[in-house]
Amino acid sequence: MPTLSVNYISKTYKSPASACGAGREIPVLSKIVFEVKPREFVSIIGRNASGKSTLLKIIAGVVKATSGTFTVDGNAAYMPQDHTLLPWRTVEDNLLLPGDIQNISRGAARARIQSLLAEFGLDQYVGSYPSLLSGGTRQKIALLRTVIQKASILLLDEPFAMIDALTRLESQTWLQAFVRKNQASALLVTHDMQEAIFLSDTIYVLDSGNGDIKEKFTVPLSRPRLHEHLHAPEALALEKTLFSLLVE
């Protein structure tokens, strides 16, 4: 059974009414169909305003689809673009936040947090405040906060968009290891073709004109991956194809 099944999701917004009359319907997504298998990493790429983030928000339950359905086998954890850690909370208190909202025992949550921080070499930051952490470390803590409930699928909206290039590469490697270690599925929205190729098993390209899926690609690289693998002929050929689709 797929971890996530998306069945003919469409989304239309209505523009504000003006002196000339009622607002018009603006289609954003049109009959989107795809699935994410257990332990599969899927990326969705597309140009700005192609509906990538809207699709993720629908699956996360933040936005309601105009039509269509989706099912999740298990629970989903959503990391939006504006995932800023609360500056008045320590790392541990930020990671306790999901459990506090869901009334989960703090004792059980702390045990899970300590285990995850130690597993990924972040335990020295448990009492630190976000302002004292590097951008990359804050990203990792935000990711840990997203998956602290042992989600079966991660919904990640541009998680590395705001960090420098070197930290981005390190964080991508960390995310790859994290997902494989926890045997989770992941759905990533990104505009970065190399990021999609490095992390993904499958890539979907959204058509910004029609709001539907333009193409589907299987990434022809074995795992685990290094960034050097992006220079392999098959990876370069895929990047060229993705680029040509995005600029059409």
Side-chain angles (χ1 to χ4, degrees), residues 232-243:
E234 55 269 37
L236 292 173
L238 177 54
E239 183 179 357
K240 183 178 179 180
T241 301
L242 294 174
F243 180 80

Side-chain angles (χ1 to χ4, degrees), residues 124-141:
Q124 68 267 36
Y125 303 116
V126 64
S128 300
Y129 287 92
S131 61
L132 302 177
L133 306 177
S134 67
T137 300
R138 286 197 296 270
Q139 297 291 119
K140 294 174 184 178
I141 298 301

Side-chain angles (χ1 to χ4, degrees), residues 11 30 57 74 81 101 116 133 142 144 147 158 160 167 174 182 193 198 204 209 238-239 245:
K11 179 63 180 177
S30 177
K57 288 176 181 177
Q81 290 185 27
I101 294 172
L116 282 172
L133 306 177
L144 283 179
V147 303
E158 300 278 7
F160 309 127
T167 304
W174 180 87
N182 288 272
M193 292 175 291
F198 176 71
Y204 292 95
L238 177 54
E239 183 179 357
L245 288 170

Side-chain angles (χ1 to χ4, degrees), residues 88-121:
W88 59 88
R89 281 181 173 245
T90 64
V91 164
E92 182 179 52
D93 286 337
N94 266 285
L95 293 176
L96 283 168
L97 184 59
D100 289 345
I101 294 172
Q102 299 176 29
N103 294 317
I104 295 173
S105 163
R106 277 203 159 200
R110 278 197 171 95
R112 169 76 169 151
I113 287 166
Q114 291 170 2
S115 175
L116 282 172
L117 287 173
E119 183 177 348
F120 293 98

Side-chain angles (χ1 to χ4, degrees), residues 58-103:
I58 289 171
I59 299 169
V62 177
V63 171
K64 188 174 181 179
T66 303
S67 62
T69 62
F70 68 90
T71 57
V72 177
D73 182 21
N75 62 313
Y78 174 50
M79 182 177 177
Q81 290 185 27
D82 52 346
H83 53 74
T84 307
L85 298 175
L86 299 178
W88 59 88
R89 281 181 173 245
T90 64
V91 164
E92 182 179 52
D93 286 337
N94 266 285
L95 293 176
L96 283 168
L97 184 59
D100 289 345
I101 294 172
Q102 299 176 29
N103 294 317

